[in-house]
Amino acid sequence: MVDVTQILAAIEQGDPHAPEQLLPLVYDELRQLAAEKLAHEQPGQTLQATALVHEAYLRLLGGKQTQDWGGRRHFFAAAAEAMRRILIDRARHKQTRKAGGGRRRLDLDDIEPALEEENGDRLLALDEALRQLEAEDPRKAELVKLRFFAGLTSEQAAAALGVSTSTAEKDWAYARSWLRVAIERVSGHRP
């Protein structure tokens, strides 16, 4: 069986058929990660895991620019980052006036106080705080992206980052606390 790393190397070398060979090898894993992430979104989310995977894949491999992948680990980290950016872009778009400016449809049977709008604001505050963390500690920021946006477990994220599970768990505890304080600073309220 062809290895993902070998196909990524072929993509780097400009093989036009390599992206077609890569998708079947990584699709199930990417779709599972996307489904896990979207399972935590608010009810009424219109983005499906399949669409998130396809959009992330197109962002990664759909352009004319050749990417230096550096192997499987880097590819999945880039996929997590692409999924994060897609979700952030959607949250920003939902806040625009053209997209309803924060208005949402209400089902009279299930009225809950402004959760969707609040979730978008919190996601944007998280993005800003994550950028700050990335400047301070890139590995912890990458861990947050893998855990929160790609839905990886501690063990999966540790393997992707090349650290022990205990290190990943300590980093995760630190990053969550650090982000909580930073989000309070950015948004002016507790998360």
Side-chain angles (χ1 to χ4, degrees):
M1 180 168 203
V2 180
D3 182 53
V4 170
T5 305
Q6 292 171 338
I7 294 175
L8 290 171
I11 291 171
E12 289 173 20
Q13 295 170 358
D15 181 347
H17 302 292
E20 297 168 12
Q21 296 171 347
L22 179 64
L23 186 57
L25 294 177
V26 298
Y27 183 81
D28 288 338
E29 194 169 348
L30 288 175
R31 190 173 186 304
Q32 180 182 2
L33 294 175
E36 288 172 6
K37 170 57 187 141
L38 290 173
H40 300 295
E41 292 293 314
Q42 295 295 324
Q45 170 64 263
T46 58
L47 184 64
Q48 299 295 317
T50 301
L52 181 58
V53 168
H54 285 261
E55 190 170 340
Y57 192 81
L58 285 174
R59 285 190 183 191
L60 293 172
L61 298 172
K64 305 273 185 204
Q65 185 177 352
T66 305
Q67 174 79 22
D68 178 22
W69 288 110
R72 178 185 178 90
R73 175 178 153 198
H74 181 248
F75 176 79
F76 281 100
E81 176 66 15
M83 288 181 193
R84 179 182 78 88
R85 288 182 181 178
I86 291 164
L87 293 172
I88 294 298
D89 289 347
R90 286 180 60 84
R92 284 187 178 132
H93 176 72
K94 284 182 179 182
Q95 289 186 330
T96 65
R97 183 178 181 113
K98 188 174 183 179
R103 293 187 181 135
R104 62 186 179 96
R105 292 179 190 235
L106 295 176
D107 182 0
L108 295 178
D109 295 330
D110 299 321
I111 293 179
E112 293 192 30
L115 292 176
E116 187 175 302
E117 181 178 325
E118 183 180 301
N119 189 42
D121 291 342
R122 288 192 339 216
L123 189 58
L124 294 175
L126 171 62
D127 182 56
E128 178 62 29
L130 190 55
R131 289 174 196 260
Q132 293 171 10
L133 178 60
E134 194 166 31
E136 183 179 305
D137 194 329
R139 186 182 77 202
K140 287 181 178 75
E142 189 64 31
L143 176 68
V144 171
K145 292 174 193 175
L146 292 171
R147 294 286 313 271
F148 185 79
F149 290 100
L152 269 64
T153 64
S154 290
E155 295 80 15
Q156 292 168 329
L161 293 172
V163 298
S164 69
T165 301
S166 63
T167 297
E169 288 172 353
K170 288 174 191 170
D171 285 356
W172 178 241
Y174 174 87
R176 284 185 10 224
S177 297
W178 192 96
L179 287 170
R180 183 172 291 119
V181 170
I183 288 170
E184 281 182 41
R185 227 180 6 249
V186 169
S187 67
H189 62 79
R190 296 190 77 93

